[in-house]
Amino acid sequence: MSTLTIFNSARDAATTAPDASAGRPIPAVLGADLEVPVKGGRLVGYANLDYAASAPCLEPVSAAVAAALPAYSSVHRGAGYASQLTTARYEQARHTVRAFVGARPDDAVIFTRNTTDATNLLAGCLPEGTTTVVFDTEHHASLLPWPEAVRLAPPAFPGEAVRAADEALAGIDGPKLLVVTAASNVTGELWPIAALAHIAHRHGARILVDAAQLVPHRKLNLTALDLDYVAFSGHKLYAPFGAGVLVGRRDWLAEGEPYLKGGGAVRAVGDDVEWHDDPEPRHEAGTPNVLGAIALAAACDALTATGWTELVREEERLIARLRAGLASITGVRELSLWGDDHPRVGIVSFTVAGYSAREVAEALSGEYGIGVRDGKFCAHPFVRHLLGTADGGCEDGTASAVRASIGIGTTQEHVDRLVEAVRDLVARL
Ligand SMILES: Cc1ncc(COP(=O)(O)O)c(C=O)c1O
């Protein structure tokens, strides 16, 4: 199957179909006017280019939390009006998230702390003897939680990913789960999730898509893509209030060990314990993060109201400018698994010959007021693979890279400042 076939499939196209409710202006983020000190004590406007780690808060998200606070109360078990109102807001947040990812009506929507919490929750609910197939390109959140895992080498091209998954799944008996990221947190590259879902189902396997880096940048439609589970984090989706989510098929979740054991997860407790078999209460014991869920839903609403066409157009313009600028500097190498032209979200990782990644990141912050990430981005096997052994060595010999990532609130000036700062650093060598 060619790359083109994979990315032009009807089901992938369905994920980017225009949304009728779209068309509002792109919302603002809090902190757009933040000033930070640089060398010499000057203050400069902060160029936040670290969205892939945590995105700033959208104004409508902050407003939704502020609006919910006066009536904030316990959920599910309170008789008071404020409790009923807060419960309704919390459950409405579930519906909003369900609609945002295009989930099936009977899918479970479980609020978690973040993506890592969501993958670990699912890992604890796998039927006995499940084998998980996972690529070495994954973030640790999707690479590590599985009790029994087959790890596949980074594929040389998208069709190779499908072929390798096909071969691995064919060799496994019993329950199986394929885990794959939709957009890499290292390179931003999009993975052929529709084709991988198709292959998984042909082998009777299920698929979990780590959508942590996709949902802030692209529309996702779980039903159209025929995915079994998706996981993502609020703090990467402009809703930094400590909630994430796992969405997907109810049966494994209804039978799996309750994630936390305590109040809310039980129907009745006597000498025996009768656990809820609805996945939501079963795995949300204790007082949930109500404001986090409300924030997450407000972010979903705000992105949907803006519409993906406009968001994607602006992001693609800026990331193309950033990549072209970096490519024009001698000694800068962008990390990529599938080549320059492969579709990607607003993330670019790179090395600068003559500098460690830490030196670059520190200089960008201390001298230019630019925030980026350096390191291996919790994807150690993948970054090692991309760097080989020769590039990006820190003093301690650990290979690492610099990552710049963009989103709502990123300006052309931020992008140009980064390119010129790296050009300055190279000129000093
Ligand atoms: C692709 C991907 N998956 C999972 C995670 C983990 O997210 P969290 O730290 O919110 O659990 C990240 C975070 O960087 C990520 O980029």
Side-chain angles (χ1 to χ4, degrees), residues 365-386:
S365 173
E367 298 180 39
Y368 303 91
I370 300 170
V372 293
R373 183 82 176 262
D374 68 288
K376 290 200 273 295
F377 321 121
C378 296
H380 291 188
F382 188 31
V383 171
R384 254 190 244 112
H385 170 81
L386 291 170

Side-chain angles (χ1 to χ4, degrees), residues 206-292:
R206 291 188 179 184
I207 183 168
L208 161 65
V209 166
D210 174 345
Q213 299 293 354
L214 184 76
V215 290
H217 303 280
R218 297 287 186 280
K219 182 170 178 176
L220 172 70
N221 190 316
L222 178 153
T223 305
L225 290 163
D226 199 15
L227 309 178
D228 299 293
Y229 303 97
V230 299
F232 58 94
S233 304
H235 71 98
K236 294 182 195 293
L237 191 70
Y238 309 98
F241 289 85
V245 72
L246 175 68
V247 181
R249 300 199 185 277
R250 302 186 83 77
D251 50 353
W252 289 2
L253 297 166
E255 281 156 32
E257 188 80 358
Y259 193 46
L260 295 172
K261 299 195 173 76
V266 287
R267 275 194 221 283
V269 182
D271 289 341
D272 293 326
V273 178
E274 193 192 330
W275 299 102
H276 269 291
D277 46 17
D278 283 337
E280 289 87 350
R282 187 178 182 86
H283 297 296
E284 289 182 6
T287 300
N289 179 358
V290 176
L291 295 175

Side-chain angles (χ1 to χ4, degrees), residues 307-367:
W308 292 98
T309 311
E310 185 52 28
L311 291 169
V312 171
R313 185 186 300 127
E314 180 59 1
E315 177 180 307
E316 289 197 328
R317 184 181 77 78
L318 290 175
I319 201 71
R321 189 176 175 95
L322 175 55
R323 294 177 68 214
L326 291 173
S328 72
I329 304 170
T330 310
V332 172
R333 176 162 83 91
E334 181 183 342
L335 304 188
S336 169
L337 184 62
W338 291 334
D340 283 352
D341 297 333
H342 189 78
R344 65 196 69 217
V345 298
I347 295 174
V348 52
S349 294
F350 58 96
T351 55
V352 183
Y355 289 102
S356 72
R358 175 45 57 95
E359 287 168 338
V360 174
E362 283 181 353
L364 291 175
S365 173
E367 298 180 39

